Amino acid sequence: MMKKPIRLARAQSKLSPRLQDIKNHALALADTAELAGVVIHADLDGVADDSYAKLRNRISEEMRSTFKGTPSALALAAYEIEAWLMLFPDAFPKVRPGWKVRDADCRRDLAKLEKAKEHLVKYLGKPQYRESDAPAIMQAAVQGGHVSPRPAGKNRSYADFVEDLAAWHGAA
């Protein structure tokens, strides 16, 4: 896992060198093993609209070019990864018993939810949600069997990521 942030969404003409940095890092981590695949996560800081589709296509095309022969997937979370976490509402009370994702949020298009992090802080309950809670929520979702390629909620950016991962089977 690469912890050094590399800004992709606003990279414009400097996208390829940044992806090459990621590739070099991944190959170094793989050392003598074969690199099975590359997943790149970025928070979009915007909703899934026409500009999301254009940006996602541009980054995905550059990734395919840079990582030729190695499956890759782009986790471009609209607005933030918290909007993906909300797809798995049953995981929240497993992390903090007082937390409950509102039913109205479970029915909405979470890819259109601006500032999902602030939304959770406002509506989740006590104790207050912190960004550092995200890994525990995702772990609870996975361990509880809540993560699914087709969750009950809706989020285009999550669906696009799942589609990228599903394509790995054809690339292997």
Side-chain angles (χ1 to χ4, degrees), residues 36-146:
V38 175
V39 174
I40 295 176
H41 165 262
D43 283 343
L44 179 62
D45 295 334
V47 298
D49 57 12
D50 290 341
S51 62
Y52 158 82
K54 289 176 189 170
L55 177 63
R56 188 175 206 296
N57 287 339
R58 184 172 75 84
I59 294 173
S60 294
E61 286 174 18
E62 291 274 353
M63 286 174 65
R64 280 190 292 277
S65 175
T66 302
F67 300 111
K68 282 184 214 127
T70 301
S72 63
L74 176 59
L76 184 60
Y79 194 93
E80 301 157 321
I81 198 68
E82 282 76 6
W84 286 18
L85 296 176
M86 292 170 68
L87 291 169
F88 317 109
D90 294 338
F92 284 83
K94 293 191 176 12
V95 174
R96 303 270 190 249
W99 284 356
K100 180 173 177 17
V101 176
R102 300 178 321 157
D103 290 339
D105 290 330
C106 295
R107 293 188 300 270
R108 74 188 301 173
D109 183 351
L110 294 164
K112 303 283 186 192
L113 176 63
E114 290 188 25
K115 301 185 181 196
K117 207 173 297 164
E118 288 87 344
H119 186 84
L120 286 177
V121 168
K122 183 175 181 179
Y123 293 110
L124 197 54
K126 299 290 180 192
Q128 195 172 50
Y129 173 81
R130 296 169 312 197
E131 188 174 348
S132 60
D133 293 315
I137 295 166
M138 184 51 76
Q139 183 177 12
V142 170
Q143 289 175 343
H146 306 295

Side-chain angles (χ1 to χ4, degrees), residues 7-25:
R7 308 284 183 232
L8 297 179
R10 294 177 184 87
Q12 300 303 328
S13 64
K14 296 181 181 176
L15 182 58
S16 290
R18 293 174 190 202
L19 290 173
Q20 189 62 49
D21 285 349
I22 293 169
K23 180 179 181 180
N24 293 343
H25 184 78

